[in-house]
Amino acid sequence: MSTIYEYVERIATAQSEKKAIEKITISNPALTFDEAYEIQRLSIEKSISASNSFIGWKMGLTSKAKQLQVGVDSTIYGRLTNNMLMNHNEITAADHIHPRIEPEVAFTFKKPIAGENLMPYEVWSAVEYVYLALEVIDSRYENFSFSLMDVIADNASSTKFLLGSQPYAPTTTDWAQIKVDVYYNNELKYEGTGAAILEHPINSVIELLNLLSKEGRGIQPGELVLAGAMTDAVAVKSGDTVTADYGVLGSLTINVK
Ligand code: OOG
Ligand code: MG
């Protein structure tokens, strides 16, 4: 059986060589929840020591659409580093294995917050802004297929994300009521709402804090949190365009080179 460090290496190699690997649970079906998060933590630590910085958290599988798409029905978290944050709205297909794009919202924090089963008003008191976001995910596993432990170890398939340039005050709207239309090459592909994320996107942060508090952690000021996709993710290839139209709030587009 491989050690945790060998899995960290394997995932890093899959990412740098853009070559999918067999999911860990094929050879190690007994991989535990704690081991899977430890593989994730060590992978990100390795990337950070190679000159990136930690900037926040992402939640995954917070909507039914996403849970059904990948066949995993638990919410998970991943870690975000500065090299994942896109500074223009283009990705190169060849830099990825089998990228997919999904519409999200992100929160930024002005105060530290930690604890279990917090109430929405407690979490909002720490939120600075809400942003529209598009996440690019890219599982390191063959056929984008994994079990819960595999996807945790693979940092919740994180690879890139784009934030809207407009920060919104938390009180701008009821974030559960927002609507998004996702266009794939100018054709409407998916429709979602803020409520698709655990009934309200703020619940995604509450869930993140529940998971983090088991490890004695919380969210620090300056960190950001991606709440999870509101619709299925769209598989993309070179030449494609994905636009998420959030109505009056604005829209975000990623072009795939
Ligand atoms: C897992 C990551 C899920 C989300 O927003 O639900 C995720 C995956 O779908 O590969 O990022
Ligand atoms: Mg996501």
Side-chain angles (χ1 to χ4, degrees), residues 66-87:
K66 285 289 309 184
Q67 293 189 350
L68 291 171
Q69 185 176 34
V70 299
V72 175
D73 64 0
S74 308
T75 57
I76 57 176
Y77 72 78
R79 291 167 159 87
L80 302 174
T81 52
N82 64 321
N83 60 321
M84 296 178 188
L85 182 52
M86 297 165 63
N87 55 16

Side-chain angles (χ1 to χ4, degrees), residues 85-92 161-162 253-255 257:
L85 182 52
M86 297 165 63
N87 55 16
H88 63 308
N89 67 333
E90 186 178 86
I91 58 164
T92 301
F161 66 100
L162 180 70
T253 294
I254 292 180
N255 299 312
K257 215 170 52 172

Side-chain angles (χ1 to χ4, degrees), residues 37-38 40-42 44-45 48 54-58 77-81 84 155-156 158 212 215 217:
Y37 271 112
E38 190 59 6
Q40 177 190 125
R41 194 185 65 77
L42 290 167
I44 295 301
E45 202 167 81
I48 286 172
F54 174 81
I55 57 169
W57 310 90
K58 67 168 272 185
Y77 72 78
R79 291 167 159 87
L80 302 174
T81 52
M84 296 178 188
N155 196 28
S158 307
L212 292 180
E215 305 162 31
R217 294 169 203 267

Side-chain angles (χ1 to χ4, degrees), residues 5-249:
Y5 297 94
E6 285 165 333
Y7 294 126
V8 170
E9 277 310 316
R10 255 186 251 176
I11 290 169
T13 306
Q15 191 158 13
S16 61
E17 293 180 358
K18 286 116 201 151
K19 205 166 169 301
I21 52 171
E22 182 182 88
K23 56 188 172 189
I24 298 173
T25 53
I26 300 259
S27 56
N28 184 356
L31 187 75
T32 68
F33 186 83
D34 291 346
E35 286 167 342
Y37 271 112
E38 190 59 6
I39 294 169
Q40 177 190 125
R41 194 185 65 77
L42 290 167
S43 296
I44 295 301
E45 202 167 81
K46 190 173 142 92
S47 136
I48 286 172
S49 58
S51 83
N52 296 311
S53 56
F54 174 81
I55 57 169
W57 310 90
K58 67 168 272 185
M59 284 297 283
L61 310 179
T62 48
S63 66
K64 262 275 157 305
K66 285 289 309 184
Q67 293 189 350
L68 291 171
Q69 185 176 34
V70 299
V72 175
D73 64 0
S74 308
T75 57
I76 57 176
Y77 72 78
R79 291 167 159 87
L80 302 174
T81 52
N82 64 321
N83 60 321
M84 296 178 188
L85 182 52
M86 297 165 63
N87 55 16
H88 63 308
N89 67 333
E90 186 178 86
I91 58 164
T92 301
D95 290 344
H96 302 281
I97 302 168
H98 34 207
R100 295 179 176 181
I101 298 178
E102 52 189 27
E104 308 218 359
V105 291
F107 299 93
T108 58
F109 289 81
K110 59 185 179 197
K111 290 192 196 150
I113 181 134
E116 255 179 294
N117 300 324
L118 295 183
M119 304 285 283
Y121 86 92
E122 295 174 286
V123 176
W124 278 122
S125 73
V127 172
E128 186 163 34
Y129 297 119
V130 186
Y131 288 86
L132 307 181
L134 277 178
E135 188 184 15
V136 184
I137 52 173
D138 192 24
S139 175
R140 266 55 66 170
Y141 301 119
E142 288 163 355
N143 306 315
F144 223 109
S145 158
F146 42 73
S147 73
L148 175 63
M149 301 316 165
D150 297 302
V151 67
I152 291 170
D154 186 28
N155 196 28
S157 312
S158 307
T159 186
K160 294 276 175 197
F161 66 100
L162 180 70
L163 288 184
S165 42
Q166 179 63 48
Y168 286 106
T171 51
T172 301
T173 185
D174 174 350
W175 295 97
Q177 302 269 350
I178 66 166
K179 290 195 165 63
V180 65
D181 289 337
V182 179
Y183 292 85
Y184 175 58
N185 298 335
N186 301 316
E187 266 183 47
L188 182 62
K189 177 108 177 154
Y190 299 123
E191 293 170 75
T193 65
I197 305 170
L198 300 172
E199 290 170 15
H200 192 300
I202 199 70
N203 292 331
S204 178
V205 182
I206 293 173
E207 200 47 48
L208 171 65
L209 290 168
N210 286 343
L211 291 165
L212 292 180
S213 69
K214 293 197 180 79
E215 305 162 31
R217 294 169 203 267
I219 299 169
Q220 300 304 316
E223 291 179 0
L224 63 90
V225 173
L226 279 175
M230 291 177 243
T231 70
D232 293 39
V234 184
V236 291
K237 58 182 185 327
S238 172
D240 287 346
T241 297
V242 172
T243 296
D245 181 353
Y246 298 80
V248 290
L249 294 171

